[in-house]
Amino acid sequence: MSRVHIQGLNITFGGHEVIRHLDLDIHAGEFLVLLGPSGCGKSTLLHSIAGLNPVSGGRIDIGGRDMTHAEPSARGVGMVFQSYALYPHMSVRDNLAFPLKMAGAPKAEIAARVARAAGMLQLEPLLDRRPAQLSGGQRQRVAIGRAVVREAGVLLLDEPLSNLDAKLRAELRRELKLLHARLGNTMVYVTHDQVEAMTLATRIVVMHQGEIQQIGTPAEVYEQPRNLRVASFVGSPTINRLAGRVQDGRFHCGGIGLPHAAADGTALTLGVRPEHVLIGDGQPFEGRIQLVEPLGNQHLLWIEAGGTLLCAVLPGQPQLALHDGVRFGFDAARQLWFDEAGDRLAHP
Ligand SMILES: Nc1ncnc2c1ncn2[C@@H]1O[C@H](COP(=O)(O)OP(=O)(O)OP(=O)(O)O)[C@@H](O)[C@H]1O
Ligand SMILES: [Mg+2]
């Protein structure tokens, strides 16, 4: 396992700055997830660690050595691409062995490493098949295996599960987590799926337009988002956002009013996660059910209140029906306040 240390990284494509003066310290042995919307620069950052992008400025150290301009093969990293990129004319065994053959490894060692990777990824029964004779999930396992055989200190994965259906994705996600526990190497994983990020990561890096918004454990990013952007990107259904102003010691948004100590006229946004919306007769606000979505073990209530639409998540089966009136409030301890620029206020 290796530490990856990135300092002041700049990456420019055709005069357009895609990564802007980025600092990132990836701890040895951690499962770091790069999370962010499409086009924010996740793949570009990952590819720069792999040595697949020319770097315009800054420095990348891998395992304590300056690798900023080193050849990809000299970096001690394995890479898994979203498109499986398997050799169609080769068997699974030969696909797995290929990177080791290219590196000039002795035959016996190649066989031993291929056997080890195949065992870990349940590929043994498939070793003599060709990629066309495999399912999508099996192909992706081979692609992961081909990076694993290198037994590199750092494994880089770019949306490796996005071509799979939901059930297979969840299954392979668990396998990846177990694989990381077994290998103990450093993993850097790119996704725009916040569920993958939350379930896999030891730390999540939330990116936006080539810059890091926040780095933290899944719990930190979820419970203490640095700004509205992070709060909105992490969590499903999305956090409720109520934009309003303070007047006479109260924050007002539509028909919702809450005590707040900020000066008159201060613009604020209140963020409340759907599980922190409370429903019951004793609650202070009144709304109307606009939509009910049963999910089996829980259900979502969409509530219209004074021109604002709020989502509440509740356990079990729905007790309220469409157009019913409903009383609701917010868990006071879980309210998140953001200023006009979208930054979270440490002391609301
Ligand atoms: N080789 C390239 N030449 C020019 N522009 C590029 C190149 N590669 C990426 N870009 C641009 O850099 C930005 C970041 O792209 P990148 O592929 O890193 O995004 P991403 O976060 O991985 O998005 P996605 O989730 O869609 O894969 C985009 O605006 C993209 O158009
Ligand atoms: Mg990408």
Side-chain angles (χ1 to χ4, degrees):
M1 58 182 181
S2 301
R3 175 182 175 210
V4 179
H5 190 63
I6 300 171
Q7 266 178 302
L9 186 70
N10 272 302
I11 297 188
T12 308
F13 289 125
H16 175 60
E17 243 187 352
V18 173
I19 300 289
R20 277 180 231 158
H21 203 83
L22 183 139
D23 296 323
L24 179 60
D25 195 10
I26 304 171
H27 306 160
E30 84 170 315
F31 200 127
L32 189 89
V33 173
L34 305 179
L35 177 70
S38 182
C40 73
K42 306 178 296 290
S43 297
T44 303
L45 176 58
L46 197 76
H47 290 175
S48 72
I49 301 171
L52 304 173
N53 277 336
V55 167
S56 328
R59 179 179 164 129
I60 300 173
D61 287 11
I62 301 172
R65 290 172 57 203
D66 182 0
M67 293 287 181
T68 317
H69 302 291
E71 284 298 311
S73 59
R75 296 184 177 221
V77 303
M79 172 106 191
V80 182
F81 296 91
Q82 175 180 349
S83 58
Y84 319 119
L86 299 176
Y87 301 106
H89 58 285
M90 286 186 197
S91 67
V92 168
R93 187 191 316 280
D94 290 340
N95 263 286
L96 291 175
F98 189 74
L100 301 174
K101 274 190 192 149
M102 290 305 285
K107 262 195 171 154
E109 185 175 342
I110 294 179
R113 285 207 208 174
V114 167
R116 229 175 0 246
M120 266 188 246
L121 290 155
Q122 299 155 46
L123 292 171
E124 283 129 333
L126 310 174
L127 283 171
D128 295 314
R129 292 204 204 165
R130 294 198 176 183
Q133 300 166 310
L134 302 175
S135 71
Q138 291 167 336
R139 274 178 223 171
Q140 194 53 280
R141 261 196 220 115
V142 178
I144 294 167
R146 208 173 42 177
V148 164
V149 287
R150 302 171 66 111
E151 300 185 357
V154 183
L155 203 53
L156 307 171
L157 304 110
D158 192 352
E159 308 227 23
L161 309 184
S162 58
N163 285 338
L164 309 175
D165 67 51
K167 190 161 174 282
L168 203 51
R169 210 157 61 213
E171 200 177 301
L172 225 61
R173 191 177 77 206
R174 289 192 294 277
E175 281 183 31
L176 269 176
K177 194 159 180 165
L178 291 171
L179 184 71
H180 177 248
R182 226 172 295 154
L183 293 174
N185 60 355
T186 310
M187 291 206 185
V188 188
Y189 186 101
V190 163
T191 184
H192 58 260
D193 179 343
Q194 54 97 26
V195 175
E196 267 176 32
M198 293 293 286
T199 51
L200 286 170
T202 47
R203 288 192 306 156
I204 298 175
V205 177
V206 184
M207 293 180 65
H208 179 79
Q209 292 186 352
E211 288 175 356
I212 293 175
Q213 299 284 312
Q214 185 167 359
I215 305 176
T217 63
E220 281 165 357
V221 166
Y222 189 77
E223 290 170 2
Q224 300 157 53
R226 182 169 294 165
N227 57 37
L228 210 44
R229 208 174 264 141
V230 174
S232 306
F233 200 76
V234 178
S236 176
T238 308
I239 192 167
N240 295 297
R241 283 158 295 183
L242 294 98
R245 279 187 193 277
V246 177
Q247 197 63 50
D248 302 325
R250 285 182 81 73
F251 165 82
H252 297 279
C253 169
I256 294 165
L258 290 165
H260 202 284
D264 277 3
T266 306
L268 296 173
T269 297
L270 169 63
V272 183
R273 297 228 176 258
E275 65 272 28
H276 302 140
V277 176
L278 310 175
I279 304 293
D281 289 340
Q283 297 299 334
F285 312 122
E286 194 162 11
R288 198 156 287 284
I289 306 291
Q290 206 202 52
L291 189 71
V292 183
E293 293 183 280
L295 294 168
N297 60 343
Q298 55 184 27
H299 61 282
L300 308 181
L301 283 187
W302 293 87
I303 304 164
E304 201 278 320
T308 304
L309 189 63
L310 292 165
C311 179
V313 58
L314 298 162
Q317 301 302 328
Q319 306 296 319
L320 290 159
L322 209 59
H323 308 309
D324 276 0
V326 62
R327 297 202 69 82
F328 68 93
F330 308 128
D331 182 342
R334 310 304 291 268
Q335 293 170 3
L336 302 170
W337 293 95
F338 301 89
D339 67 14
E340 208 165 5
D343 291 323
R344 185 164 62 85
L345 303 173
H347 304 288

